[in-house]
Amino acid sequence: MGSYRDDESRLFLKVHSDNDRVSALGERSIETLTSLSTLCNGTAEEITVTSLTRIGINVRDCIQKTLTEWSSKIGQDLNQEILEVLECTVAQAIEKINPEERDELKVSAKLFIVGSNSSSIRDAVDLACSALGVAQLDSVIIAPPPIEDGTSLSLEYLQPYWQELENLVQNKKIVAIGTSDLDKTLLEQLYLWAQVKPNSNQVNLASCCVMPPDLTAFAKQFDIQLLTHNDPKELLCEASFQEVLQESIQNTKAHEWIPLWLLRYSVIVKSRGIIKSKGYIIQAKRNAS
């Protein structure tokens, strides 16, 4: 996995959930892959953690389980000196896709922007491809980016995010891109403006028990697949993330860490329509005062 470096400290977490490995949960050794800097000493630049987690656990619990297991073992593998980068994984926690099976699988993802901008999209897609050992993702749906209180989501606000997704399609990192929670008016505006058209739009059934007729008609006319979801409006807030850090690792200065984005991926067996594996990848930055 390549390194992501900038002037700010970064935290990367990979949390993996595998239907076929639930019974295999247990003690696993931490494996140091490259030379890295630790989160615990308060000077972290980057960290990547991989862990196997149980199906049905929410994202907060997944992060906490990963960090707790990692922090309980990582001290055994590090010297007292401050290393530049530390990449560690729970052995066999995540399985890269076999190239010979790639055509039989659909790799999809939903991206939640938390505290960042459109430039994070490429990082998220690159990291997901690297973690799964694939050249491209079959589909990526973007959740509505965060907006200020009292304002409404608009085409102008969506455009830089969509342009970044379009670039990834043109560079063959993504096959198809979709939206989430857009009403008919905004979906139509995006469709007419975009060079790469949305092929899907998710609708939250918590706010809409029946698909709006105008949205259904528009989607049918332009061959846009309408999907349903039950994700909360805020999948992982800043306060919840900092709370997990504080509970999982001592002396983290958790209040300095801000989640930037969260990507949830699924690997689906096409012929059977079942989920082979799923997981989360989270990026956070440290704003030291």
Side-chain angles (χ1 to χ4, degrees):
M1 181 176 301
S3 295
Y4 294 78
R5 300 301 300 273
D6 55 27
D7 294 333
E8 297 173 311
S9 300
R10 297 278 170 151
L11 166 67
F12 293 94
L13 298 177
K14 288 189 296 175
V15 186
H16 182 61
S17 180
D18 193 324
N19 283 305
D20 298 328
R21 294 174 181 255
V22 171
S23 60
L25 289 172
E27 291 298 313
R28 299 185 183 276
S29 61
I30 293 294
E31 176 182 288
T32 302
L33 302 180
T34 55
S35 171
L36 292 177
S37 68
T38 74
L39 174 65
C40 301
N41 59 33
T43 61
E45 292 294 332
E46 300 173 2
I47 189 170
T48 302
V49 182
T50 306
S51 176
L52 184 66
T53 60
R54 191 177 299 276
I55 293 295
I57 298 178
N58 63 35
V59 64
R60 185 189 186 284
D61 292 338
C62 285
I63 296 171
Q64 186 167 31
K65 176 181 173 61
T66 302
L67 286 173
T68 300
E69 184 174 352
W70 174 76
S71 63
S72 69
K73 297 177 180 179
I74 195 63
Q76 303 170 14
D77 299 315
L78 290 178
N79 297 322
Q80 294 299 316
E81 60 180 314
I82 302 213
L83 303 173
E84 194 167 314
V85 184
L86 172 75
E87 184 170 345
C88 49
T89 182
V90 178
Q92 300 179 349
I94 188 167
E95 182 179 352
K96 291 185 182 292
I97 293 174
N98 186 335
E100 296 180 358
E101 300 177 353
R102 180 63 180 91
D103 290 343
E104 303 170 9
L105 304 172
K106 178 181 179 180
V107 184
S108 60
K110 184 172 182 179
L111 179 60
F112 303 83
I113 303 295
V114 183
S116 186
N117 52 40
S118 59
S119 63
S120 294
I121 294 176
R122 179 173 293 275
D123 284 350
V125 171
D126 284 345
L127 192 55
C129 288
S130 177
L132 295 169
V134 297
Q136 64 179 187
L137 304 180
D138 294 305
S139 69
V140 173
I141 289 174
I142 186 169
I147 56 177
E148 296 181 3
D149 293 338
T151 61
S152 300
L153 191 63
S154 65
L155 175 62
E156 183 179 8
Y157 190 76
L158 277 176
Q159 284 173 338
Y161 295 90
W162 197 257
Q163 286 174 326
E164 192 66 31
L165 288 170
E166 288 181 326
N167 290 336
L168 290 168
V169 172
Q170 291 163 1
N171 291 329
K172 301 187 184 304
K173 296 292 291 185
I174 307 174
V175 177
I177 49 181
T179 59
S180 181
D181 300 316
L182 299 191
D183 60 19
K184 185 263 182 182
T185 299
L186 191 50
L187 181 60
E188 182 177 16
Q189 291 174 351
L190 177 64
Y191 186 90
L192 295 176
W193 167 82
Q195 293 184 10
V196 179
K197 309 299 184 182
N199 82 322
S200 64
N201 180 50
Q202 286 189 337
V203 178
N204 193 329
L205 289 183
S207 59
C208 175
C209 295
V210 179
M211 291 285 185
D214 60 343
L215 180 61
T216 302
F218 178 80
K220 183 177 180 181
Q221 179 181 358
F222 293 98
D223 196 26
I224 299 173
Q225 187 178 13
L226 292 182
L227 308 170
T228 59
H229 75 92
N230 59 358
D231 295 318
K233 184 176 181 181
E234 207 169 30
L235 195 62
L236 181 69
C237 67
E238 181 178 318
S240 180
F241 181 77
Q242 291 172 350
E243 189 177 281
V244 171
L245 281 180
Q246 190 65 47
E247 293 173 356
S248 305
I249 306 176
Q250 295 182 349
N251 304 318
T252 56
K253 298 182 179 179
H255 65 281
E256 295 180 353
W257 288 90
I258 300 173
L260 297 179
W261 53 261
L262 183 150
L263 181 143
R264 182 178 63 216
Y265 65 85
S266 299
V267 180
I268 301 169
V269 180
K270 293 179 182 178
S271 61
R272 301 171 63 190
I274 63 171
I275 297 176
K276 181 179 181 182
S277 64
K278 64 179 181 178
Y280 298 95
I281 301 174
I282 304 103
Q283 179 185 5
K285 71 176 181 180
R286 178 171 175 257
N287 285 333
S289 55

